[in-house]
Amino acid sequence: GHVHAEVEEFLHGVQASPSLAVLCGGSEIHQQAAMLGLPVEFWSGPVTDEIIPAVVARMRPDVPYVPNSPYGGAMPFSPNAGVAHYYGVGAYMLPIADARRADVRFASESLAFAHVPQQRTLQRHLDVPAVHSPLWKARVPRDRSASWDFEDVRDFYLQLLYGFDPAELRREDPERYLDLSRAVTGEVIEETFAEWRRKGSACNGALVWTLQDLLPGPGWGVIDTTGEPKPVWYAMRRAFRPVQVVFTDEGTNGLDVHVVNETDAALDVELEVVCLRGGKQQVVSGSRAFKLAARDTERLACTALFGAFFDTTYAFRFGPPAHDASVARMRSLADGAILAESFHFPCGRGKALH
């Protein structure tokens, strides 16, 4: 009776919400039971399998119902089937290539980090030394009983992407440490969504954990408590562009560039790729004009634009690297406006910090 009343009350409250897309019976119930080693018959029960879906069928038969999140697959938390909570890139500190290897179908949670707010927010609301102040550390999200927190996760990717020892950098140059901390979570999110949006990806979407902080500080939120976007929010806005260009490093297959048009209109575009040495000197470049169909994704090998071989990914290593950055730009042929840009660093970002 209590469950009936609560579900009915909830549905009455959200009836008019345009964001009501899917109804879900519970969070991580199946996952917890499976991770405890219990057999399948213990994963679920009548509340999520019978009682809630009966109320949903009566009140909102038009809305799809999922018994649990995550759900589906050999294990309920397997990202390659059903609904996943994907933290391979992120909490489990795997390289960004795992975003493809995991074969994510849909992530209802992903990419949680201790996102650092704008400096002005910190100066006004948390004016203490970053990371090592107990007041700062108390506001860093962590999983209960874990020996690490989501700042440790951010530091792992800071070292992976930029080649700095986070503890040493924090001690010797705290301002630069905070700047790279602000940048790194956005860069990881951009690269991960590039994998998920490329041509050939089976991913149907992912939700980033979470929207807004509850306290000023390095929380999960991509917006701080004052309502101001954190730097990562701007990276997400780039990652989610409906008209997009992204690189994928295919090793000895070279550097691929993918163009995405999620709008309902075909676009006349020009795609240009330039490889740079020292951030300025053009080593090789190429471009192509074409019509990008509505709701379509295309993939081109960069060498097809250049018209000749060039070691864009620095995979063959026939000598010192000829370039340290590649830039892709997609322009509208109608008015010349740049619709999207993407960047690739064959020797890592550390070598391209000019």
Side-chain angles (χ1 to χ4, degrees):
H2 287 298
V3 175
H4 268 285
E6 187 173 341
V7 175
E8 285 178 2
E9 190 177 319
F10 169 77
L11 287 173
H12 278 302
V14 297
Q15 287 287 24
S17 173
S19 65
L20 186 63
V22 178
L23 287 161
C24 181
S27 177
E28 298 187 351
I29 301 170
H30 291 208
Q31 172 176 301
Q32 291 232 354
M35 283 187 166
L36 287 169
L38 296 172
V40 177
E41 55 266 28
F42 290 99
W43 293 1
S44 60
V47 171
T48 56
D49 290 3
E50 299 161 25
I51 298 170
I52 296 176
V55 180
V56 170
R58 181 163 42 83
M59 294 182 69
R60 286 304 299 264
D62 58 314
V63 179
Y65 176 78
V66 178
N68 215 251
S69 180
Y71 180 76
M75 285 281 119
F77 45 85
S78 302
N80 62 357
V83 177
H85 294 181
Y86 174 70
Y87 290 110
V89 176
Y92 305 140
M93 293 185 271
L94 294 174
I96 292 171
D98 189 72
R100 182 184 300 193
R101 182 174 57 195
D103 196 18
V104 176
R105 290 296 193 262
F106 181 85
S108 54
E109 287 183 23
S110 67
L111 298 164
F113 295 96
H115 299 295
V116 180
Q118 307 273 13
Q119 191 60 28
R120 54 184 166 265
T121 303
L122 295 180
Q123 284 168 342
R124 211 173 305 138
H125 300 285
L126 191 62
D127 195 11
V128 298
V131 183
H132 65 270
S133 163
L135 190 59
W136 173 288
K137 211 62 181 165
R139 297 183 181 186
V140 175
R142 66 190 67 229
D143 283 347
R144 200 175 357 174
S145 78
S147 63
W148 52 271
D149 62 29
F150 282 83
E151 196 146 61
D152 297 325
V153 173
R154 189 189 67 224
D155 279 351
F156 170 84
Y157 288 100
L158 189 153
Q159 187 156 19
L160 185 73
L161 266 61
Y162 305 119
F164 290 103
D165 178 321
E168 189 178 300
L169 184 65
R170 195 174 77 230
R171 185 166 58 241
E172 295 177 1
D173 193 345
E175 283 187 23
R176 191 170 204 207
Y177 168 80
L178 279 179
D179 282 341
L180 289 177
S181 296
R182 290 184 179 100
V184 70
T185 59
E187 292 218 70
V188 170
I189 286 174
E190 282 195 82
E191 280 220 18
T192 304
F193 272 92
E195 276 294 346
W196 289 342
R197 295 184 68 191
R198 69 184 165 84
K199 187 174 182 69
S201 167
C203 182
N204 293 298
L207 303 178
V208 170
W209 183 271
T210 64
L211 181 66
Q212 191 165 6
D213 281 345
L214 304 173
L215 290 166
W220 279 321
V222 300
I223 297 169
D224 70 29
T225 39
T226 71
E228 178 166 18
K230 295 181 184 179
V232 66
W233 183 89
Y234 297 94
M236 284 172 54
R237 186 169 69 172
R238 289 192 298 273
F240 298 167
R241 282 183 288 225
V243 178
Q244 178 70 305
V245 60
V246 298
F247 279 127
T248 57
D249 186 327
E250 305 297 335
T252 51
N253 285 316
L255 191 62
D256 281 352
V257 60
H258 304 252
V259 287
V260 181
N261 177 16
E262 290 184 350
T263 71
D264 60 1
L267 298 169
D268 291 308
V269 297
E270 180 189 49
L271 176 66
E272 177 190 39
V273 174
V274 180
C275 296
L276 303 171
R277 181 190 295 138
K280 293 175 184 170
Q281 184 183 348
Q282 278 199 29
V283 182
V284 65
S285 67
S287 64
R288 182 179 294 181
F290 55 95
K291 187 181 283 288
L292 182 57
R295 308 200 192 287
D296 196 19
T297 311
E298 292 295 339
R299 174 178 59 212
L300 298 93
C302 287
T303 48
L305 297 176
F306 304 151
F309 169 72
F310 180 73
D311 192 2
T312 42
T313 57
Y314 194 49
F316 297 99
R317 302 180 184 239
F318 293 140
H323 73 303
D324 53 32
S326 297
V327 184
R329 287 193 185 92
M330 182 160 56
R331 288 187 180 84
S332 164
L333 285 175
D335 58 7
I338 294 176
L339 301 171
E341 285 182 308
S342 187
F343 307 91
H344 177 258
F345 307 100
C347 305
R349 288 163 174 77
K351 296 279 193 333
L353 286 169
H354 302 292

